[in-house]
Amino acid sequence: MTKYLDPIAAVEQPRADFIRYLLTAYPLRDPHLRYGFKQLLEQPGNLWQHPYLEGSQPYKSSLSINDLVEQGVLHPDMATLFIPSSRRLYEHQEKAIRAVVEQQQNIVVATGTGSGKTECFLAPMLDMLLKEGDNLSIAGVRVLILYPMNALVNDQVKRLRQLLCRQKTTTKIKFGFYTSRTEKDRGKAIESLREEFAAYDPEELRQLFTSAEIESIKDEELIDKAIEKTSQVQLLSREEMWEAPPHILITNYSMLEHMLIRPKEREKIFEASVNTFKMLVVDEAHTYDGAKGSEVSMLLERFKASVGVEQKGKIRCIATSASLGDASVDDKVIAFAGEFFG
């Protein structure tokens, strides 16, 4: 039987637990004071508010990945990465894909949480890489995905693993994430990945495999097989990325600053990508306002110089956010993106 969330209990239980904790943490001997204290804690506005209910309207649906493949917009192998490929996209997702793939435009995706912003850059990004064909055998960063914090990087890594493990071609798209958590050598990186996978739900690891592969994997082999499968599409250590930079590099702006300063990363990763770099993606773009935005914008200028991007229009730039406002501020958003990306 499916268990549904009880919205009343979801509100009442945490509130009751917190009030009970406060009464325990601050015990009052006088029963009148204790009763008065409890009455104050239970009054709305002092410690808690009544819940707000918000109706969420469905986003307008459009064509599917399969439809875009059949129309020649996307590479045929895209249907094997996005499963089910017959699932209809939202209208804004299709518009974003067409704008980047067909019209070669830079875009800003400003839409609500849970509306599929990630697909708005994942689909055109993977399509661009698939269309390179045999050129993927040439090592070098094609795409930089920049996040404001490691937690968001970790979520993206999980998503990319699932997508890229579905590749059937010999020359595979590979990615790497470069943060403070990235181990230097492969041995320690595999140990770290093993610890990470041990904390996963088994069903989450099974999503890395096809149905046929899952049938042949014993439960006790699942983590080892998942590490083996992941290693085919993800460069796990810094040394691996120094030796052959991945097609997709994921990091945060703080680590990017360090990488541009250190000779090893600057030479082995960025200078090695001078002839390959094509796309810059910045997620949670609304976090880069004020002085921070100016600093990160200058950081991106330094990065572009390090990969040999000197002319405007040479690369695709994509920004996404759930907090940039509605259509009434489109002009301001476009002006912001123009200044931010240069």
Side-chain angles (χ1 to χ4, degrees), residues 114-318:
S115 61
K117 293 186 298 299
T118 302
E119 285 76 7
C120 292
F121 68 80
L122 276 184
M125 175 187 78
L126 295 177
D127 174 75
M128 176 193 73
L129 293 171
L130 287 170
K131 287 175 179 175
E132 281 201 34
D134 293 337
N135 285 339
L136 286 176
S137 59
I138 302 171
V141 178
R142 274 72 165 171
V143 183
L144 175 70
I145 305 178
L146 196 68
Y147 287 93
M149 61 187 72
N150 280 356
L152 296 171
V153 172
N154 299 339
D155 289 341
Q156 189 58 64
V157 166
K158 288 184 179 181
R159 183 71 193 282
L160 270 176
R161 281 177 189 154
Q162 292 176 1
L163 287 172
L164 297 183
C165 279
R166 296 169 183 162
Q167 296 178 88
K168 297 180 179 179
T169 55
T170 305
T171 305
K172 298 183 183 299
I173 299 170
K174 295 185 177 182
F175 78 98
F177 77 95
Y178 210 104
T179 69
S180 57
R181 293 178 54 246
T182 308
E183 299 287 353
K184 180 181 178 182
D185 63 85
R186 179 174 172 80
K188 288 184 178 179
I190 290 179
E191 288 178 16
S192 178
L193 185 63
R194 185 180 300 278
E195 292 177 2
E196 180 184 341
F197 282 173
Y200 281 19
D201 184 289
E203 283 304 315
E204 196 169 2
L205 291 180
R206 290 189 178 95
Q207 292 177 9
L208 299 175
F209 304 94
T210 63
S211 300
E213 289 172 335
I214 292 172
E215 292 178 1
S216 63
I217 298 175
K218 299 177 182 178
D219 290 345
E220 60 270 20
E221 300 175 332
L222 184 58
I223 291 179
D224 288 331
K225 293 292 185 180
I227 292 173
E228 181 183 339
K229 185 84 169 181
T230 299
S231 298
Q232 296 175 10
V233 299
Q234 180 182 350
L235 303 186
L236 301 173
S237 66
R238 298 187 182 196
E239 289 181 344
E240 288 177 284
M241 286 183 263
W242 295 343
E243 183 178 341
H247 305 111
I248 305 166
L249 180 65
I250 307 171
T251 189
N252 56 65
Y253 66 86
S254 179
M255 180 54 71
L256 181 60
E257 174 77 45
H258 292 302
M259 294 173 74
L260 288 170
I261 292 173
R262 295 195 289 240
K264 176 73 77 172
E265 286 92 339
R266 196 170 63 242
E267 176 187 350
K268 296 290 187 179
I269 297 179
F270 298 139
E271 292 181 11
S273 305
V274 166
N275 296 318
T276 62
F277 191 76
K278 296 180 178 181
M279 183 178 287
L280 175 58
V281 179
V282 175
D283 197 23
E284 304 295 334
H286 62 275
T287 61
Y288 303 108
D289 59 349
K292 179 181 175 182
S294 298
E295 290 173 3
V296 176
S297 179
M298 289 187 283
L299 178 66
L300 293 181
E301 288 300 317
R302 288 167 51 203
F303 165 74
K304 288 189 288 184
S306 72
V307 292
V309 176
E310 298 175 354
Q311 299 176 349
K312 291 185 177 182
K314 187 176 180 181
I315 62 172
R316 297 278 68 76
C317 296
I318 301 175

Side-chain angles (χ1 to χ4, degrees), residues 108-112 117 282-287 319-324:
V108 178
V109 181
T111 182
K117 293 186 298 299
V282 175
D283 197 23
E284 304 295 334
H286 62 275
T287 61
T320 69
S321 172
S323 307
L324 283 177

Side-chain angles (χ1 to χ4, degrees), residues 63-75 89 93-94 97-98 102:
L63 301 180
S64 66
I65 292 290
N66 260 348
D67 294 330
L68 294 177
V69 168
E70 291 174 359
Q71 291 181 10
V73 177
L74 296 177
H75 189 279
L89 297 167
Q93 292 175 323
E94 184 196 345
I97 292 169
R98 288 187 182 277
E102 290 186 317

